[in-house]
């Protein structure tokens, strides 16, 4: 059983309990284990903590040896945002692909299998799914992380995802409340603002969250966005009107409220993480997510001390902090009672499908992700279509990845196509001369142009113009949100850039 270190007072234990910090390394540092013994109840895993399923299982076992009911959280959306398969790309298509198929049974099955793999590694809280409606197609941070732009579609797939994930014993954390889809700014960099009327928010943004609550989501993550119709002063994460008045009282939600990462610039550059954390708990948040960028013991101690000082000064009611800590412990108790026994490190490899370095094995273990990726493809054949039978040149037009996705996860079709058509070569291009440079690099080989949100990047659209004018037999693969008209001898929209989406596209290109 969990034993709290002697000498740790209740206030300090509660302040530690509401924190969800990250750390560096693939094993737990001494300071983290010590703080678990003093009352820390949650730990967040990021790509830097992941090597193989066996390693993750060993890491979570190390944490549970110190505290048996610890919440181990991860940002594993599948699709473009993957941590468990950060170095290979995900075995599961993301939300946009699932929305394109529009089979809630498939969405539930994908979420269950993803949850099963997380549970096998000892992870019991997933900061997913995204319930944001992609109503602004120029949104730089949501895009394919959304099930789509249709409110009812997003609502039913959000509910299906929550049910599937939690049926595997992993708590879902539906995000980003009250909805991040109609923004033009990434909250990692600045404060987004949504100027929609209250009636629009009620009939659009809030609908998927109502569905998630009805489906029993165990956690909800707040967004660092300003929504004047709900609160003209405070962003949602720091707004009592939004977290307590709307989410708790109006929507009737009684589970855990988690903040988005407090080191994101929307909060850290305007309020600071210490002040922001105090205001978030006071507003009604129960857990402070921090650790994507700040991942050391001094950060944890600064936040702990800021919360303790706020209680002692009277700024933060002690009962509010105690209530928040109690909700964290209640979720921990739920996961401890429903979570399957974590695998031993050796069996975790089998349960999860593969070591992270062997991408093919994970698809062989269970093909629900590949089935979904294949069904999500939209294929348009043009007048110049001919199957790719000889080794092509894959030109990847690479935009800057948003921070949620990261730039370390591979994407595209080249690796998968090379297995089917030996000799396939590839290059990455960006900027105003990308099209000309790709043509020069391709030489006489057939070109497969891979883009990501071409509608958002003028240079990318111009690169396609250059390629198609010179080589009308070019194959175009859109791995973002397909808003531009189909172009090329063969146009494939994958609705996401997960590895299995690339595999499904490669099959279509090679005629497999």
């Amino acid at each position: 059983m969990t034993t709290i270190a002697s000498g740790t007072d209740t206030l300090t234990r509660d302040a530690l309990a509401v924190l969800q910090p990250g750390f560096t390394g693939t094993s737990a540092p001494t300071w983290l284990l010590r703080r678990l013994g003093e009352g820390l109840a949650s730990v967040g895993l990021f790509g830097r903590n992941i090597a193989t399923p066996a390693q993750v299982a060993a890491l979570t076992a190390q944490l549970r040896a110190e505290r048996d009911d610890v919440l181990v959280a991860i940002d594993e959306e599948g699709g473009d945002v993957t941590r468990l398969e950060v170095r290979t790309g995900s075995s599961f298509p993301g939300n946009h692909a699932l929305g394109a198929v529009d089979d809630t049974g498939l969405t539930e099955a994908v979420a269950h299998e993803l949850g099963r793999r997380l549970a096998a590694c000892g992870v019991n809280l997933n900061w997913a799914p995204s319930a944001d409606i992609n109503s602004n197609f120029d949104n730089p941070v949501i895009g394919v992380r959304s099930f789509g732009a249709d409110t009812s579609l997003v609502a039913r797939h959000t509910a299906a995802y929550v049910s599937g994930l939690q049926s595997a014993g992993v708590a879902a954390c539906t995000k980003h409340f009250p909805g991040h889809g109609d923004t033009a700014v990434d909250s990692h960099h600045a404060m987004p603002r949504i100027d929609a009327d209250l009636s629009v928010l009620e009939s659009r943004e809030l609908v998927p969250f109502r569905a998630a609550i009805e489906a029993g989501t165990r956690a909800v993550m707040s967004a660092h966005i300003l929504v004047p119709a709900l609160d003209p002063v405070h962003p949602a994460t720091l707004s009592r009107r939004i977290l307590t008045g709307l989410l708790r009282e109006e929507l009737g939600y009684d589970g855990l409220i988690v903040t988005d990462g407090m080191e994101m610039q929307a909060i850290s550059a305007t309020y600071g993480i210490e002040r922001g954390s105090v205001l978030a708990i006071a507003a009604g948040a129960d857990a402070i997510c921090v650790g994507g960028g700040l991942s050391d013991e001094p950060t944890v101690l600064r936040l702990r001390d800021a919360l303790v000082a706020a209680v002692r000064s009277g700024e933060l009611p002690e009962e509010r902090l105690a209530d928040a800590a109690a909700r964290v412990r209640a979720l921990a108790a739920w996961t401890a009672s429903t979570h399957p026994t974590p695998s031993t490190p050796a069996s975790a490899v089998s349960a999860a499908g593969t070591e992270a370095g062997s991408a093919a094995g994970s698809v062989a273990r269970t093909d629900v992700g590949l089935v979904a990726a294949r069904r999500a493809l939209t294929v348009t054949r043009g007048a110049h279509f001919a199957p790719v039978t000889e080794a092509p040149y894959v030109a990847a037009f690479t935009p800057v990845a948003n921070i949620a996705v990261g730039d370390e996860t591979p994407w595209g079709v080249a690796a998968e196509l090379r297995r089917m058509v030996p000799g396939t070569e590839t290059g990455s291009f960006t900027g105003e001369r990308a099209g000309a440079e790709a043509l020069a690099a391709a030489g006489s080989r057939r070109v497969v142009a891979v883009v990501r949100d071409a509608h958002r990047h003028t240079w990318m659209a111009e690169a396609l113009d250059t390629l198609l004018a010179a080589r009308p037999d070019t194959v175009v693969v859109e791995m973002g949100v397909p808003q531009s008209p189909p172009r090329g001898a063969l146009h494939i929209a994958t609705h996401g850039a997960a590895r299995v989406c690339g595999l499904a596209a490669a099959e279509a290109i090679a005629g497999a």
Side-chain angles (χ1 to χ4, degrees):
M1 297 295 293
T2 302
T3 302
I4 300 297
S6 60
T8 306
D9 62 78
T10 300
L11 180 56
T12 300
R13 291 199 300 271
D14 286 349
L16 281 170
V18 303
L19 303 180
Q20 291 189 346
F23 61 95
T24 57
T26 53
S27 61
T30 301
W31 70 263
L32 184 64
L33 298 175
R34 183 171 64 252
R35 300 305 171 189
L36 286 172
E38 294 175 356
L40 186 69
S42 309
V43 174
L45 300 185
F46 296 85
R48 60 175 179 259
N49 306 122
I50 310 296
T52 68
Q55 167 267 318
V56 178
L59 167 58
T60 59
Q62 186 184 14
L63 297 172
R64 288 196 170 86
E66 190 63 45
R67 182 180 182 124
D68 55 6
D69 65 345
V70 64
L71 284 172
V72 181
I74 198 168
D75 194 7
E76 182 58 56
E77 299 177 15
D80 291 33
V81 180
T82 179
R83 306 299 179 239
L84 198 60
E85 298 182 279
V86 65
R87 291 171 183 81
T88 61
S90 182
S91 299
F92 304 94
N95 285 3
H96 206 265
L98 295 173
V101 177
D102 195 14
D103 178 343
T104 54
L106 180 64
T107 293
E108 186 170 351
V110 166
H112 176 83
E113 177 58 22
L114 188 149
R116 187 188 69 82
R117 295 191 188 189
L118 292 175
C121 295
V123 176
N124 54 10
L125 172 59
N126 191 9
W127 293 318
S130 167
D132 307 298
I133 297 170
N134 197 44
S135 53
N136 182 347
F137 292 113
D138 289 328
N139 192 314
V141 68
I142 301 300
V144 294
R145 300 168 68 196
S146 167
F147 288 110
D150 179 82
T151 298
S152 60
L153 179 145
V154 174
R156 62 179 174 266
H157 284 277
T158 296
Y161 199 104
V162 167
S163 297
L165 190 63
Q166 293 188 166
S167 69
V170 176
C173 182
T174 306
K175 61 188 182 185
H176 305 80
F177 188 81
H180 208 312
D182 192 18
T183 58
V185 173
D186 184 345
S187 50
H188 289 90
H189 302 299
M191 181 75 76
R193 177 185 175 110
I194 294 180
D195 286 312
D197 294 337
L198 182 59
S199 60
V200 173
L201 298 171
E202 287 280 357
S203 62
R204 189 179 64 184
E205 268 73 14
L206 298 183
V207 174
F209 290 98
R210 291 183 187 273
I213 292 168
E214 186 174 343
T217 187
R218 292 283 167 172
V220 169
M221 178 176 282
S222 67
H224 303 329
I225 58 175
L226 189 66
V227 188
L230 299 176
D231 188 331
V233 177
H234 301 102
T237 294
L238 311 184
S239 171
R240 182 170 177 80
R241 290 188 188 182
I242 294 174
L243 298 188
T244 299
L246 176 57
L247 183 53
R248 288 273 187 237
E249 297 172 358
E250 183 177 333
L251 301 187
Y253 176 66
D254 196 41
L256 190 75
I257 299 177
V258 184
T259 72
D260 207 345
M262 296 300 284
E263 66 269 43
M264 294 165 64
Q265 291 296 299
I267 299 297
S268 63
T270 52
Y271 295 87
I273 62 168
E274 295 96 332
R275 176 72 176 157
S277 296
V278 170
L279 293 174
I281 297 294
D286 306 306
I288 301 296
C289 175
V290 65
L294 299 171
S295 52
D296 54 15
E297 184 176 26
T299 298
V300 172
L301 298 182
R302 283 162 52 201
L303 296 182
R304 178 202 66 184
D305 293 347
L307 292 168
V308 169
V311 169
R312 289 176 174 163
S313 70
E315 180 183 10
L316 175 63
E318 186 170 2
E319 55 271 23
R320 170 77 273 273
L321 180 62
D323 173 65
R327 290 181 187 276
V328 173
R329 296 180 188 121
L331 181 58
W334 178 83
T335 60
S337 67
T338 63
H339 194 288
T341 302
S343 304
T344 62
S347 63
V349 177
S350 175
T354 178
E355 293 281 351
S358 177
S362 62
V363 173
R365 175 67 52 182
T366 173
D367 63 358
V368 65
L370 181 56
V371 167
R374 286 168 175 161
R375 290 181 63 186
L377 293 185
T378 302
V379 180
T380 306
R381 290 174 173 83
H384 297 279
F385 171 71
V388 175
T389 56
E390 297 183 357
Y393 187 85
V394 178
F397 297 111
T398 308
V400 176
N402 72 59
I403 293 177
V405 173
D407 58 8
E408 59 184 329
T409 303
W411 70 285
V413 303
E416 304 298 341
L417 190 57
R418 191 176 292 116
R419 295 188 182 99
M420 301 174 195
V421 187
T424 296
E425 296 187 17
T426 187
S428 180
F429 305 91
T430 188
E432 61 182 16
R433 288 190 48 77
E437 291 169 354
L439 275 174
S444 61
R445 286 164 293 188
R446 182 95 173 264
V447 178
V448 176
V450 186
V451 297
R452 205 170 183 176
D453 292 333
H455 68 283
R456 292 185 50 238
H457 304 282
T458 301
W459 67 267
M460 203 179 288
E462 291 174 349
L464 288 181
D465 289 340
T466 299
L467 273 177
L468 292 169
R471 307 285 284 277
D473 64 345
T474 293
V475 173
V476 178
V477 182
E478 169 62 84
M479 303 195 80
V481 176
Q483 280 300 294
S484 302
R487 309 175 68 190
L490 181 68
H491 185 278
I492 301 173
T494 62
H495 304 275
R499 178 178 53 78
V500 285
C501 294
L503 174 55
E507 291 174 340
I509 293 167

